[in-house]
């Protein structure tokens, strides 16, 4: 084995490794799934801030339903779309904890739209992580409110058509309009540079919570290579070429 | 076949190295794509789950930038960088 004779592989040279906040359970996500990267980044931020004992995650219904098997923190599972409401209750009862919700686009922008908007409008002092892969991943790739015009899914196999299926919902832009939100940003995790930016955004969101600044919303434009029926590398490329035009990256609000 | 002297010699030039947990790796290829130096490749062999795991095909090229680690969804890459 070449690795075993490589002198660079020594503890003093270690610069990057799996976060200690991540458990050893192997993630159930499909190969290349953006959820794995976002889960990991949250773990890294919690580790860097030293808040493992005081952070409570609210897990969604969707592919990230098992996030509680991966991050070694306290969790509460919410029913479909209700994570912001559950997060509200947890944060109000335990104001000294860090509370974040983690949701897909079907969860946050379809069935949970009311909870999402009202939590942000109340300015709940929570972090909302929103992983937007443009479809319902877990249940087989159905059209979501976020599905792009012309994008194929199992329930619009010939592509979404606005006259029949409505328009893609830019819910993050909508949330940025609400006075309760203090930090609203859209990021991605398809390149090393974008991963590092998303980590910074998550860090800022958790720091905001420490300062009682209101709701921070971090959207991550993501891939679902299984649902999109592409390889993970193709899915990243497709996302760059199609999703970013409709869902441009960057801060919408930072107060 | 590269001879061992050449490997050791090349290794002296490398500034970084990675260790991929080939048991956990799902062969998604995102690290291969993210590597600026073409150090990584997916193996022709598969692991127990049937995935063509990632490995350092050209260890002498690694600069220890950690791009591969950053994009890996399954946190199976540890990155080492030699002190200058
Ligand atoms: C009340 C209720 N309605 C419907 C479902 C079925 N269901 C499970 S996951 C899901 C969609 C999840 O999609 P998304 O939130 O985009 O997450 P992803 O899997 O893409 O990460 C649906 C409709 C459910 N579990 N509960
Ligand atoms: S179905 Fe899509 S969102 Fe769900 S784990 Fe697989 S790739 Fe990820
Ligand atoms: S550390 Fe950088 S150069 Fe080395 S394998 Fe990873 S991406 Fe490639
Ligand atoms: S990114 Fe991670 S899971 Fe994907 S091939 Fe590379 S090491 Fe394996």
């Amino acid at each position: 084995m070449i690795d075993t004779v490589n002198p660079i592989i020594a503890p003093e040279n270690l610069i990057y490794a799996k976060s200690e906040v991540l458990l050893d359970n192997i993630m159930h996500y499909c190969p290349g799934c953006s959820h794995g990267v976002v889960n990991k980044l949250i773990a890294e931020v919690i580790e860097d801030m030293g808040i493992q004992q005081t952070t409570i995650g609210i897990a969604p219904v969707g592919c990230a339903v098992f996030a509680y098997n991966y991050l070694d923190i306290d969790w509460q599972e919410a029913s479909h779309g209700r994570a912001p409401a559950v997060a509200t209750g947890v944060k109000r009862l335990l104001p000294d904890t860090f509370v974040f919700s983690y949701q897909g686009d079907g969860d946050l922008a379809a069935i949970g739209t009311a909870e999402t908007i009202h939590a942000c409008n109340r300015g709940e002092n929570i972090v909302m992580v929103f992983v937007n892969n443009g479809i319902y991943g877990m249940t087989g790739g159905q059209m979501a409110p976020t599905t792009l015009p012309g994008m194929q899914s199992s329930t619009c196999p010939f592509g979404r058509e606005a006259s029949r299926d409505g328009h893609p919902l830019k819910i993050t832009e909508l949330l940025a309009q609400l006075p309760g939100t203090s930090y609203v940003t859209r990021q991605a995790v398809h390149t090393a540079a974008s991963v590092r930016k998303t980590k910074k955004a998550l860090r800022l969101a958790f720091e905001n919570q420490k300062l009682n600044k209101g709701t921070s919303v971090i959207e991550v434009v993501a891939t679902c290579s299984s649902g999109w029926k592409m390889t993970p590398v193709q899915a990243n490329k497709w996302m760059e070429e199609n999703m970013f035009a409709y869902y441009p990256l960057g801060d919408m609000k930072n107060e | 076949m590269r001879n061992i002297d050449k490997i050791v010699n090349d290794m002296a030039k490398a500034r970084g190295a990675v260790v991929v947990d080939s048991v956990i790796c799902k062969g998604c290829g995102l690290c291969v794509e993210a590597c600026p130096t073409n150090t990584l490749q997916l193996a022709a062999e598969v692991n127990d789950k049937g995935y063509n795991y990632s490995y350092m095909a050209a260890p002498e090229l690694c600069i220890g930038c950690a791009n591969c680690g950053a994009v890996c969804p399954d946190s199976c890459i540890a990155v080492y960088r030699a002190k200058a």
Side-chain angles (χ1 to χ4, degrees), chain A residues 161-204:
Chain A
E161 201 187 302
S163 62
R164 181 188 57 214
D165 308 320
H167 302 272
L169 179 59
K170 297 190 185 190
I171 194 161
T172 308
E173 273 83 348
L174 224 143
L175 300 176
Q177 305 303 313
L178 303 174
T181 52
S182 66
Y183 178 43
V184 181
T185 189
R186 184 183 285 125
Q187 302 291 334
V189 291
H190 62 308
T191 61
S194 65
V195 166
R196 293 182 180 117
K197 275 181 87 174
T198 299
K199 185 174 171 184
K200 283 204 184 103
L202 287 164
R203 174 73 187 245
L204 178 59

Side-chain angles (χ1 to χ4, degrees), chain B residues 2 6 8 11 14-15 17 24 31 34 39 53 55 67 71 75:
Chain B
R2 300 188 304 165
K6 171 134 180 14
V8 171
M11 213 67 87
R15 286 188 280 146
I24 293 173
C31 55
T39 299
Y53 54 87
Y55 77 110
N67 282 3
V71 300
S75 298

Side-chain angles (χ1 to χ4, degrees), chain A residues 19-40:
Chain A
S19 167
E20 281 169 19
V21 172
L22 286 175
L23 294 159
D24 284 336
N25 298 329
I26 295 177
M27 291 181 170
H28 73 289
Y29 303 122
C30 308
C33 178
S34 306
H35 277 304
V37 184
V38 181
N39 285 196
K40 159 181 96 168

Side-chain angles (χ1 to χ4, degrees), chain A residues 71-151:
Chain A
L71 273 80
D72 189 10
I73 55 171
D74 284 335
W75 285 94
Q76 175 62 52
E77 173 63 34
S79 54
H80 206 5
R82 313 302 178 231
V86 175
T88 297
V90 172
K91 181 67 186 182
R92 286 188 178 212
L93 280 168
L94 302 168
D96 296 333
T97 56
F98 289 87
V99 178
F100 73 94
S101 57
Y102 186 108
Q103 301 176 266
D105 45 306
D107 197 76
L108 180 142
I111 193 168
T113 310
E115 284 77 2
T116 300
I117 288 180
H118 286 293
C120 289
N121 197 44
R122 292 191 304 270
E124 296 298 337
N125 194 28
I126 56 174
V127 175
M128 292 175 56
V129 181
F130 168 33
V131 178
N132 178 8
N133 57 23
I135 50 169
Y136 293 180
M138 185 192 215
T139 42
Q142 292 86 356
M143 179 168 50
T146 46
T147 303
L148 297 180
M151 183 176 177

Side-chain angles (χ1 to χ4, degrees), chain A residues 2-3 6 8-10 12-16 18 22 26-27 29 31-33 36-37 40 191-192 195-196 232-233 236, chain B residues 11 14-17 19 26 28 30 33 51 64-67 69-75 77-83:
Chain A
I2 290 170
D3 280 1
N6 191 327
I8 298 171
I9 299 172
E12 66 273 20
N13 290 336
L14 184 68
I15 57 155
Y16 186 86
K18 178 175 170 166
L22 286 175
I26 295 177
M27 291 181 170
Y29 303 122
C33 178
V37 184
K40 159 181 96 168
T191 61
V195 166
R196 293 182 180 117
V233 172
N236 272 343
Chain B
M11 213 67 87
R15 286 188 280 146
V19 175
K26 294 176 184 164
C28 69
L30 294 181
E33 191 71 11
Y51 294 125
C65 67
N67 282 3
V71 300
C72 175
D74 291 275
S75 298
I77 304 182
V79 184
Y80 298 82
R81 194 191 293 143
K83 306 246 175 334

Side-chain angles (χ1 to χ4, degrees), chain A residues 44-59:
Chain A
E44 289 178 4
V45 167
I46 291 171
E47 182 178 351
D48 292 350
M49 289 178 71
I51 56 173
Q52 186 175 10
Q53 298 302 324
T54 47
T55 301
I56 302 170
I58 314 298

